[in-house]
Amino acid sequence: MASAVRAIAPIDPLGMLKEAAVTAVVSAALLIPFVGFRIVNRGGDQFLDTRFEETAIAVALIFLGRLALILIRGGRFLVPAVGGVAVAAVGVFAPIPTDFLRAVATVGGLVVLARAAFVAFMRSRTDTGARAAGAGVGDMFRRALPWIAAAVIAIAFVLPLTPFAERRFLDVAILVLTYIMLGWGLNIVVGLAGLLDLGYVAFYAVGAYSYALLAAYFDFSFWICLPLAGMFAAFFGIVLGFPVLRLRGDYLAIVTLGFGEMIRVILLNWVSFTKGPDGISGIPRPSFFGLEFKRYPPEGGETFHTFFGLDYSSLHRVIFLYYLILVLALITNFFTRRIRTLPVGRAWEALREDEIACRSLGINPRNTKLSAFAIGAMFGGFAGAFFATRQGFISPESFTFLESAIILAVVVLGGMGSQTGVVLAAVVLIGLPEYIRDLQEYRMLAFGAGMVLIMAWRPRGLLSHRDPTIRLHPAGRGGG
Amino acid sequence: MEYFLQQLINGLTLGAIYGLIAIGYTMVYGIIGMINFAHGEIYMIGAFGALISILLLAVPGGGGSVVLALIVVLVVSMILTALYGWTLERIAYRPLRASPRLAALISAIGMSIALQNYIQLTQGARNKTLQPLIRGGVELMERDDGFTVVLNYMQMGIIATTIVLMTGFSLLISRTTLGRAQRACEQDRTMAALIGINVDRTISLAFVMGAALAAVAGFLVVLYYGVIDFFIGFLAGIKAFTAAVLGGIGSIPGAMLGGLLIGLIEAFWSGYFSIEYKDVAAFAILVLVLIFRPTGLLGQPEVEKV
């Protein structure tokens, strides 16, 4: 097997061209109606504009991309990689008339490059001393992981104090950390308990709205509302979880999706309570042990910068928010790691692997699943309260299905159940696109395509890790 | 009474459209046991394909036979959408057939996000409108206060098209070799492969046929409502999926029945209760059906074996 994989297949130019040509013909048929024609509205009537040059160039690029992928499959990496870089560079730097072509060239080039690098890496692992070395690398990585994690956390703590920490960078970091926290929260439900939840955003929304409404109606501060938001979200988790526990797999996914949408529609239409589509604005910002982040201190009081004798800077609040979400996320992570070794955590993992076996061992599936739902929801609620206080404004628009899909993508693409994978996936999926400014509009298109490609090439996620936390027999030695 | 009758007509029309989309869900689920998450987007592609072909053939302006032109449009958009369905299976499902189910679900969600944004970017985010091509109708009844019950020609067309397609499709599944292959693969894919059925092709065909029927639904929606945008696939997809589940997923008559019921429920709900919460009604039904009768109305119970 290994030698067959390693061998470089001889080039079969005719076959390659034929395969690529078929792809090109199909993609031409797919693209011409929607890229070649564009419906435009002129004076109340609809007309069609044509853009055939773009379509033709896009099809040509797809043809080349397909050729490159065939070469990579045959074990030739250099030419496709260089070609990919060249095309991507042209896409980024050359004056290309339209954004569409720019996106096709950049994304296509990068995809080819990533594929070449990935396949080459996998092959090199099988080449150097067969599988043992590969496993050795994996083992080394696993042993080094705590140190890497500690280093990353230390860097994360020091980062805002370094000159790197300009406003934009911190904003992106806060966003990424929010998704890391949400991903870790959802990981309890999806990764550990194996319950596919497509409506996680509902708990995020419950947390955000509980803080916003409690602050608006009762004038509660953030620090009182944070635990309350978590409790409300956990309560919703139990209420919504209870009826759906009997469902499995895809059905559970669809029903949770339905619940998520129901919460959004209710938030949208219950205008007297939630202000509906206008959203809630003026949500109070968090304070540092009662010290607010304002330029001018209130009558007879002090603010953060006067208390510490600093010059006022609007960055103080951003840095504080950064630390807040960092700590919240780390608490989520710590909690998850600990609970995995408790009986309830073990029961989650067991339930994920085989529900019937669990029943016969006397595990109560209902309570076990409900606890996973509630705890996952609670962390979603915390993150929601943080989101509300960070934004200062929330509306139902922030809690669409897309948000659930993004959080789930962070969990699944990282590798289900892997805490490290969530971090990696959040940085790749949330952080990177924020910096591709030119192609803002194409972000979601690339995001969706990225989900498809990562799944196609790495169905178990970037860092696949689904080992139970505990084994009777250490891997590789124990029986079947 | 008159109001009831009008809502009944509206509900049947809407239900016919949901039923056509629901068949795609039920066929794919029957054959590979997975929810085709991007099917709503396929329907949206069908609607855009139909609108673009209508504008391309200049149907509104050109004289000649509108009906003939519309048939051409229908065929073109069915072929185009079927091609999208085929590609969807090739890219998002076939490479993942041996992988964990979650992987296929995620790649289908990714495909759905990508298709939505693809249409948004290439066609713009604004509503696309079309002047009604088929006007007029039959007045069935008149109430004392002047409220008339109208059955539009368009509504008749939708119901007639749906009946013809459904009959043809049922015959296709029950009488032809192709249909037998479909049913064989639904029962046991390995066994079907052993007796010489090309399983890959059969699965592809399930996606293709489902997409073609979704294209018909999209075509009818463009003509009936005259307003589409890139986001219509999401809600329609969920409702059609609800219809498929209500009827019993995997069962083709069930999908049609479920579609009709969902259409009727939605029409009566918005007619008699509140229009804001009509989407909540559809979700609530989905949840209730799954909790109390997971096999749906016409579905077979699924026995889980150890």
Side-chain angles (χ1 to χ4, degrees):
Chain A
M1 179 70 199
S3 64
V5 171
R6 211 179 312 151
I8 294 176
I11 292 187
D12 165 20
L14 216 63
M16 266 173 56
L17 284 179
K18 199 177 144 202
E19 202 177 328
V22 170
T23 314
V25 169
V26 170
S27 57
L30 293 176
L31 292 183
I32 285 172
F34 298 110
V35 180
F37 296 102
R38 182 188 172 92
I39 307 172
V40 288
N41 194 328
R42 241 178 266 133
D45 263 339
Q46 311 277 333
F47 295 92
L48 288 178
D49 264 359
T50 55
R51 296 175 293 194
F52 290 129
E53 299 85 357
E54 277 188 41
T55 321
I57 299 174
V59 169
L61 284 175
I62 290 173
F63 177 78
L64 289 178
R66 179 74 203 201
L67 274 183
L69 289 180
I70 297 170
L71 279 177
I72 294 170
R73 196 178 60 201
R76 285 160 220 281
F77 308 114
L78 199 61
V79 178
V82 171
V85 172
V87 172
V90 168
V92 175
F93 298 112
I96 292 183
T98 65
D99 275 352
F100 178 78
L101 280 183
R102 191 184 288 279
V104 170
T106 317
V107 175
L110 289 179
V111 163
V112 168
L113 176 66
R115 179 66 177 161
F118 174 69
V119 176
F121 173 70
M122 296 307 277
R123 296 260 169 111
S124 73
R125 270 178 49 165
T126 45
D127 271 354
T128 50
R131 309 207 93 200
V137 172
D139 260 2
M140 249 165 63
F141 179 69
R142 202 157 293 167
R143 239 175 289 137
L145 196 58
W147 300 103
I148 299 174
V152 169
I153 292 171
I155 292 172
F157 267 103
V158 178
L159 207 56
L161 309 174
T162 63
F164 282 115
E166 9 125 30
R167 179 68 199 256
R168 167 141 184 79
F169 176 81
L170 281 178
D171 279 342
V172 173
I174 290 173
L175 191 69
V176 170
L177 279 170
T178 313
Y179 278 95
I180 290 177
M181 172 163 185
L182 286 167
W184 277 338
L186 183 62
N187 209 357
I188 296 176
V189 184
V190 178
L192 293 188
L195 301 167
L196 183 49
D197 186 351
L198 278 182
Y200 194 63
V201 77
F203 309 125
Y204 191 40
V206 167
Y209 267 89
S210 2
Y211 172 47
L213 292 172
L214 283 173
Y217 284 100
F218 301 109
D219 226 7
F220 284 1
S221 86
F222 175 74
W223 294 105
I224 302 175
C225 292
L226 185 66
L228 285 178
M231 272 167 54
F232 278 129
F235 174 71
F236 264 83
I238 292 175
V239 169
L240 298 190
F242 200 74
V244 301
L245 288 177
R246 288 199 307 171
L247 305 173
R248 299 174 54 94
D250 295 6
Y251 279 140
L252 182 72
I254 291 284
V255 171
T256 47
L257 189 163
F259 275 139
E261 280 297 297
M262 267 158 97
I263 296 238
R264 191 177 65 84
V265 174
I266 291 170
L267 288 176
L268 205 56
N269 287 307
W270 194 359
V271 177
S272 59
F273 185 56
T274 65
K275 299 204 187 136
D278 297 340
I280 302 176
S281 53
I283 301 169
R285 303 311 194 113
S287 55
F288 182 77
F289 295 105
L291 298 170
E292 300 207 27
F293 293 91
K294 283 183 181 157
R295 184 181 282 276
Y296 302 108
E299 206 65 30
E302 288 204 89
T303 58
F304 181 78
H305 69 281
T306 57
F307 186 82
F308 287 98
L310 300 167
D311 286 334
Y312 174 77
S313 156
S314 62
L315 216 53
H316 286 161
R317 177 162 65 206
V318 183
I319 293 175
F320 175 66
L321 285 170
Y322 173 87
Y323 278 121
L324 181 60
I325 186 67
L326 181 61
V327 169
L328 280 173
L330 286 177
I331 289 173
T332 315
N333 186 24
F334 181 73
F335 183 91
T336 314
R337 300 197 96 90
R338 301 306 293 173
I339 205 167
R340 279 173 89 150
T341 59
L342 292 180
V344 63
R346 300 260 160 85
W348 289 339
E349 286 184 350
L351 207 62
R352 172 189 74 193
E353 298 301 329
D354 194 333
E355 183 166 343
I356 293 176
C358 279
R359 275 174 199 275
S360 45
L361 286 172
I363 293 172
N364 182 338
R366 189 188 60 203
N367 294 356
T368 313
K369 284 183 184 176
L370 271 186
S371 60
F373 245 85
I375 291 174
M378 181 180 74
F379 288 115
F382 290 152
F386 172 80
F387 176 76
T389 193
R390 181 205 166 196
Q391 298 283 349
F393 166 80
I394 51 170
S395 77
E397 283 309 296
S398 311
F399 306 105
T400 55
F401 164 68
L402 187 65
E403 210 65 22
S404 287
I406 292 175
I407 304 169
L408 185 69
V410 165
V411 172
V412 175
L413 296 186
M416 293 242 305
S418 162
Q419 301 285 92
T420 325
V422 167
V423 179
L424 194 65
V427 170
V428 171
L429 280 184
I430 312 293
L432 279 189
E434 286 293 319
Y435 279 101
I436 312 177
R437 304 243 59 184
D438 284 353
L439 302 173
Q440 259 325 320
E441 312 183 300
Y442 290 85
R443 235 181 50 177
M444 287 319 290
L445 183 64
F447 180 84
M451 277 166 82
V452 176
L453 288 179
I454 296 181
M455 280 294 112
W457 290 337
R458 202 132 171 77
R460 290 190 173 276
L462 293 173
L463 294 181
S464 52
H465 166 81
R466 204 184 158 157
D467 293 336
T469 313
I470 186 173
R471 276 175 185 281
L472 282 181
H473 309 284
R477 261 187 284 155
Chain B
M1 178 61 202
E2 286 80 2
Y3 188 62
F4 176 85
L5 196 64
Q6 184 67 64
Q7 292 301 338
L8 184 71
I9 294 171
N10 295 346
L12 284 177
T13 317
L14 197 58
I17 291 171
Y18 287 150
L20 285 171
I21 309 174
I23 288 177
Y25 281 107
T26 224
M27 283 186 68
V28 167
Y29 193 92
I31 204 159
I32 56 172
M34 284 181 203
I35 298 169
N36 179 4
F37 219 93
H39 192 59
E41 263 49 68
I42 293 287
Y43 149 78
M44 181 268 294
I45 294 261
F48 270 90
L51 181 55
I52 288 175
S53 343
I54 288 174
L55 294 175
L56 195 62
L57 290 175
V59 178
S65 164
V66 172
V67 175
L68 196 68
L70 285 182
I71 290 175
V72 174
V73 167
L74 178 62
V75 172
V76 168
S77 59
M78 276 171 86
I79 292 173
L80 173 68
T81 315
L83 192 62
Y84 267 92
W86 180 82
T87 315
L88 167 75
E89 196 266 342
R90 276 308 287 268
I91 296 178
Y93 280 93
R94 190 173 293 183
L96 292 169
R97 216 175 278 158
S99 308
R101 295 162 58 86
L102 202 54
L105 186 74
I106 291 289
S107 80
I109 293 177
M111 206 66 187
S112 153
I113 293 175
L115 283 176
Q116 241 178 48
N117 283 278
Y118 163 62
I119 294 296
Q120 184 191 359
L121 287 167
T122 53
Q123 299 295 326
R126 290 169 60 188
N127 282 345
K128 307 290 167 211
T129 53
L130 180 73
Q131 301 298 322
L133 296 179
I134 299 175
R135 296 159 196 271
V138 187
E139 286 187 17
L140 295 181
M141 252 191 242
E142 186 166 351
R143 205 160 62 184
D144 301 338
D145 60 359
F147 179 84
T148 49
V149 180
V150 182
L151 176 61
N152 292 329
Y153 291 131
M154 192 59 227
Q155 291 175 322
M156 283 187 217
I158 289 178
I159 293 171
T161 313
T162 310
I163 291 175
V164 169
L165 275 173
M166 288 311 302
T167 319
F169 189 71
S170 304
L171 288 176
L172 183 82
I173 293 293
S174 61
R175 296 286 163 80
T176 62
T177 323
L178 193 104
R180 268 198 297 279
Q182 291 282 339
R183 283 179 289 143
C185 284
E186 275 178 30
Q187 285 183 2
D188 191 333
R189 242 188 287 161
T190 322
M191 197 59 211
L194 281 177
I195 55 173
I197 292 172
N198 186 339
V199 175
D200 276 348
R201 209 181 60 190
T202 315
I203 293 177
S204 277
L205 271 174
F207 277 83
V208 163
M209 288 192 283
L213 290 177
V216 178
F219 166 81
L220 294 174
V221 161
V222 167
L223 289 182
Y224 183 49
Y225 293 107
V227 184
I228 54 172
D229 62 41
F230 71 97
F231 201 62
I232 54 170
F234 178 65
L235 262 187
I238 291 198
K239 285 179 188 164
F241 177 77
T242 308
V245 171
L246 180 61
I249 199 146
S251 148
I252 287 167
M256 212 54 232
L257 180 68
L260 283 182
L261 285 175
I262 293 286
L264 287 173
I265 290 167
E266 197 177 317
F268 283 114
W269 185 287
S270 25
Y272 287 98
F273 298 106
S274 73
I275 203 155
E276 287 93 18
Y277 285 103
K278 74 180 161 86
D279 299 336
V280 172
F283 295 132
I285 292 163
L286 174 64
V287 173
L288 291 176
V289 172
L290 281 177
I291 292 167
F292 292 109
R293 199 176 159 78
T295 53
L297 297 172
L298 304 179
Q300 303 288 327
E302 203 174 305
V303 182
E304 192 189 343
K305 292 179 188 148
V306 181

